[in-house]
Amino acid sequence: MDDMLSEQFDRLLTGLGPIEQTDTLDTGPKSEAWRAIAESGFLDALTPEEHGGAGVPFSEIFPLAVALGRRLTPAPVIETMIARAILARAGHEPPEGSIALGDTGETAAWRLRDLGGRLALEPAAGGADTEFAWNGSPLRNLAVATLAARMAGAVEAVLTMTIDYALIRKQFGREIGKFQAVQQQLAVMAEEVAAASAAARLAFVDDFTALPSGLAAAAKLRTGEAALLVATTAHALHGAIGISKEHTLQLFTRRLHRWRLAEGSGPYWGLLIGRERLAYPGGSVDFVRTLADAR
């Protein structure tokens, strides 16, 4: 299912235009880009079958969130999937247009807010709210999980971009990718990309309504650490060309820095994990295993 969903979703995102147009891509509720996303049927992937959706487990949506990060698609697609599924389960008809979760900073036609035991759906243009009871995962956990997956996709793209550049950029008569020091830096970047992907995937549990805070925190913390190192190393290897307006690298690194600070930076989530560890009666290894088993 992962491969089938990913292939279809990649074709959809590719059809929206090149990555270089990401910052100016209109994904508003009436735009052609959002209409293409809505008509694809992906927005109801998480909605239960009895409510007209596909009933896909949240864990199988992970590759789609990664693809959004890999192509820097600005629309809150995964967030809208989650919000539509929540609304359908609560007996409310999901509205047209994109839906952001909490205050992630993403532009959307609607915003779903957590009021503590209740959720409120608010139109961005103003108007009456729709409130209803909610006893599932805090929206912030879900927003953080989607951010982590996007960062995992973006650092993967930056690694690929940097390897390609190292294989063509020559210095002292040969490609810089043949120098041992550069190879070592690329290897460290690859390790960070793998760690980011693994941490982000852990937060995509089968049932998004039962996402533990510890997994969401670990995903955001680890992908944020990877984003900082990968972005820094990529610019060091690209040199001045990487920060030029014409180069794609700066689009990715600017977005990565924004995402790693959104919904709380590393220290915030590290503190949350630390508090959970202190409250856990066993050892650290057992604590980590408990987090992983929570999936």
Side-chain angles (χ1 to χ4, degrees), residues 48 51 83-93 119 131-134:
H51 295 291
R84 289 177 69 88
I86 290 174
L87 287 164
R89 292 184 184 208
H92 294 285
E93 186 69 23
L119 297 182
E131 288 193 23
F132 53 94
W134 174 249

Side-chain angles (χ1 to χ4, degrees), residues 156-177:
E156 177 188 330
V158 170
L159 172 63
T160 300
M161 193 184 311
T162 306
I163 291 174
D164 290 343
Y165 181 75
L167 293 177
I168 62 171
R169 174 71 169 91
K170 288 187 177 181
Q171 196 168 18
F172 304 113
R174 58 175 175 167
E175 294 82 3
I176 63 172

Side-chain angles (χ1 to χ4, degrees), residues 103-263:
D103 297 305
T104 59
E106 297 288 350
T107 301
W110 301 80
R111 194 167 296 277
L112 193 61
R113 297 185 186 276
D114 199 332
L115 305 179
R118 295 185 67 80
L119 297 182
L121 180 67
E122 305 172 350
D129 300 346
T130 298
E131 288 193 23
F132 53 94
W134 174 249
N135 60 359
S137 302
L139 291 185
R140 194 173 195 185
N141 288 355
L142 299 171
V144 160
T146 63
L147 280 171
R150 284 182 184 230
M151 283 194 285
V155 293
E156 177 188 330
V158 170
L159 172 63
T160 300
M161 193 184 311
T162 306
I163 291 174
D164 290 343
Y165 181 75
L167 293 177
I168 62 171
R169 174 71 169 91
K170 288 187 177 181
Q171 196 168 18
F172 304 113
R174 58 175 175 167
E175 294 82 3
I176 63 172
K178 293 182 179 179
F179 290 101
Q180 187 174 5
V182 172
Q183 292 174 353
Q184 191 271 338
Q185 288 177 294
L186 291 174
V188 172
M189 286 178 68
E191 291 174 351
E192 291 295 307
V193 170
S197 179
R201 182 179 282 276
L202 283 175
F204 275 67
V205 297
D206 285 343
D207 182 6
F208 71 86
T209 68
L211 172 58
S213 296
L215 288 182
K220 186 62 163 60
L221 175 63
R222 191 63 189 88
T223 53
E225 291 174 345
L228 180 58
L229 187 144
V230 168
T232 301
T233 306
H235 277 294
L237 294 179
H238 275 82
I241 191 174
I243 63 173
S244 63
K245 184 178 180 181
E246 294 75 17
H247 204 284
T248 309
L249 177 62
Q250 52 85 21
L251 293 176
F252 278 92
T253 53
R254 284 194 293 110
R255 194 66 63 86
L256 278 170
H257 287 309
R258 193 181 85 187
W259 282 341
R260 72 184 183 86
L261 296 176
E263 288 291 344

Side-chain angles (χ1 to χ4, degrees), residues 30-59:
K30 297 182 179 179
S31 69
E32 291 186 10
W34 185 257
R35 185 165 60 249
I37 294 171
E39 292 176 353
S40 70
F42 277 102
L43 296 181
D44 289 317
L46 295 174
T47 300
E49 293 183 15
E50 60 267 27
H51 295 291
V56 176
F58 189 52
S59 56

